[in-house]
Amino acid sequence: MRIAITGTPGVGKTTVSKNLFEKLINLENNVKNINITEIVSKNQLYIEKDDEMNSYVIDFPKLNNFLELNTTCEDLIILDGHVSHLLNPDCIIVLRLNPERIFDRLSLRNYSEKKIKENVEAEILDVCLVESIENNVESKIFEIDCTEKSVLDICNIIISFLEHNTPKYGNVSWLEDYFYMLE
Ligand SMILES: Nc1ncnc2c1ncn2[C@@H]1O[C@H](COP(=O)(O)OP(=O)(O)OP(=O)(O)O)[C@@H](O)[C@H]1O
């Protein structure tokens, strides 16, 4: 089973995925935590590197093939990355965060102004959620506003979702309050 942990850069995917892995591995031994950026970089699963944005243009057929070869359908696979919802997941966790917090977190990184702005805009415009809905008719989608939540709380919410399997999304809306950040 593939669980995609998706969301705008800086929202907390890697932090949540690592903690979720630690919790799930106590319950089942076939859990894998895969950081998409790491495997793309290590195994050259990209078409080219975008130097301006300091990111990879992913080669999706290669990446899909790599995942097929390195996992089995018995595995409980956490896919950590902002494109994980494009990798045939069984369920998708869309992490959301107040755009001002995204701005603050990304400003702490060595990101260009352009990259910060693009990502803040993506969060305001629900890009990961919309892509998840558009590309996954069969998958279950669960959206979590992480703004005032600890990592532990977020992991517990995800585990509860995995147990009860009830999709929920569409209740996070930044556009009205943070429209000014698009200008
Ligand atoms: N629930 C949380 N509460 C407070 N801080 C958090 C929380 N989740 C993550 N953080 C912090 O936010 C920062 C960004 O987190 P993280 O690297 O996990 O984001 P990401 O979504 O994986 O980013 P990227 O897509 O760029 O890899 C880190 O400094 C992390 O410690």
Side-chain angles (χ1 to χ4, degrees):
M1 170 162 152
R2 290 185 180 183
I3 307 167
I5 307 287
T6 190
T8 307
V11 81
K13 298 178 295 294
T14 299
T15 313
V16 167
S17 297
K18 282 183 180 162
N19 281 268
L20 183 65
F21 173 80
E22 294 303 330
K23 278 181 155 272
L24 291 176
I25 199 78
N26 288 323
L27 306 172
E28 300 194 38
N29 53 17
N30 56 340
V31 188
K32 289 187 171 160
N33 183 21
I34 298 178
N35 179 294
I36 305 295
T37 308
E38 248 172 55
I39 61 162
V40 163
S41 156
K42 242 191 222 163
N43 301 283
Q44 289 160 17
L45 308 173
Y46 51 84
I47 296 162
E48 59 179 358
K49 195 164 181 217
D50 181 338
D51 285 327
E52 192 195 356
M53 297 298 272
N54 193 23
S55 62
Y56 295 106
V57 179
I58 295 174
D59 186 330
F60 278 94
K62 265 194 190 172
L63 173 55
N64 274 315
N65 196 35
F66 180 92
L67 290 172
E68 286 294 326
L69 291 173
N70 289 282
T71 60
T72 72
C73 46
E74 277 89 50
D75 292 332
L76 184 57
I77 308 154
I78 301 169
L79 291 174
D80 158 21
H82 69 281
V83 296
S84 59
H85 55 276
L86 303 176
L87 299 170
N88 307 313
D90 297 287
C91 63
I92 304 171
I93 311 293
V94 187
L95 301 183
R96 306 300 304 271
L97 187 71
N98 179 308
E100 287 178 344
R101 298 269 184 94
I102 297 266
F103 178 88
D104 292 343
R105 286 188 190 175
L106 297 185
S107 298
L108 292 174
R109 298 178 181 180
N110 218 2
Y111 281 6
S112 64
E113 251 179 61
K114 182 178 172 203
K115 189 165 175 169
I116 295 174
K117 189 170 168 23
E118 272 193 20
N119 284 313
V120 167
E121 285 179 1
E123 180 60 23
I124 296 170
L125 297 173
D126 310 325
V127 169
C128 285
L129 177 68
V130 171
E131 281 183 8
S132 296
I133 296 167
E134 279 177 0
N135 289 281
N136 297 280
V137 184
E138 300 289 334
S139 326
K140 298 214 158 66
I141 301 175
F142 194 77
E143 187 183 31
I144 305 172
D145 180 0
C146 301
T147 308
E148 300 299 339
K149 293 184 180 69
S150 69
V151 176
L152 183 63
D153 284 346
I154 297 162
C155 289
N156 286 335
I157 292 170
I158 295 173
I159 288 171
S160 169
F161 163 67
L162 295 175
E163 283 166 1
H164 299 106
N165 237 335
T166 321
K168 192 178 100 190
Y169 59 86
N171 35 347
V172 176
S173 173
W174 306 128
L175 197 55
E176 202 175 318
D177 289 344
Y178 300 97
F179 188 78
Y180 75 94
M181 293 181 93
L182 296 177
E183 292 162 334

